[in-house]
Amino acid sequence: MTSVERTGLLGAPLDEVWPVLADFAAISSWAPNVDHSCLMSDQDTGVGTIRRIQVGSTTILETVEVWQPRAALSYRISGLPPVIRSVTNTWRLGASGDSTLVVLTTEVDAGPRPPQKLIARAVGRRLGAASDQMIAGLDAWVRPKRIRQGEDR
């Protein structure tokens, strides 16, 4: 398994960041690399919530596996090529004064053999770049709200 970790310090407090992540269907409003998103489950919060996202011509389903308000959100990603056994994204959040520390970990399993591990590393690099875009997009989404309110100087 390959694990890729990205971090960011967002310009808004945890109480403003968590609701954005928790609005699971709305990722396309702040993640620049997601073209469309919608719920595929009746529930809209908590473990078992499912969303469908469109990234270019690729359709992906994401199913929540961990839901810890203000602390962690983890979801399994399905719909990737069959050579990938599993992919999971885990967001971990922590308060840092008026900011929020975000750690986004992507775990990719393509299998135990050396060629499969190479595939997992390549996919991990690509998803790591996508994670950087999501963290930057989340920061850009929550930060302007604070600037409009005159709180970010």
Side-chain angles (χ1 to χ4, degrees):
M1 182 167 317
T2 295
S3 183
V4 177
E5 184 174 283
R6 297 292 195 257
T7 61
L9 188 63
L10 308 185
L14 185 55
D15 287 339
E16 293 176 18
V17 173
W18 172 254
V20 176
L21 278 179
D23 188 356
F24 200 60
I27 188 173
S28 61
S29 64
W30 56 266
N33 51 342
V34 177
D35 300 316
H36 174 76
S37 57
C38 64
L39 283 178
M40 297 298 289
S41 59
D42 289 335
Q43 70 185 70
D44 61 359
T45 61
V47 174
T49 303
I50 302 169
R51 72 179 166 207
R52 180 177 73 76
I53 67 168
Q54 190 81 30
V55 178
S57 61
T58 303
T59 300
I60 297 170
L61 291 180
E62 298 177 328
T63 305
V64 175
E65 295 183 329
V66 174
W67 185 279
Q68 297 171 341
R70 299 175 30 93
L73 173 64
S74 183
Y75 47 89
R76 180 177 23 88
I77 301 170
S78 55
L80 297 171
V83 295
I84 306 300
R85 291 182 178 183
S86 68
V87 176
T88 303
N89 268 357
T90 302
W91 294 81
R92 300 221 178 271
L93 308 173
S96 181
D98 284 341
S99 300
T100 302
L101 177 63
V102 174
V103 179
L104 177 51
T105 304
T106 303
E107 293 180 329
V108 180
D109 183 8
R113 297 190 329 254
Q116 293 169 313
K117 289 181 179 184
L118 285 173
I119 291 169
R121 281 196 292 271
V123 169
R125 279 193 301 275
R126 185 171 175 133
L127 293 177
S131 294
D132 288 334
Q133 289 181 311
M134 287 193 295
I135 291 170
L138 181 57
D139 186 43
W141 184 259
V142 296
R143 187 179 296 264
K145 178 180 176 184
R146 296 182 61 73
I147 292 169
R148 283 191 307 272
Q149 294 171 348
E151 298 174 17
D152 191 83
R153 302 186 198 275

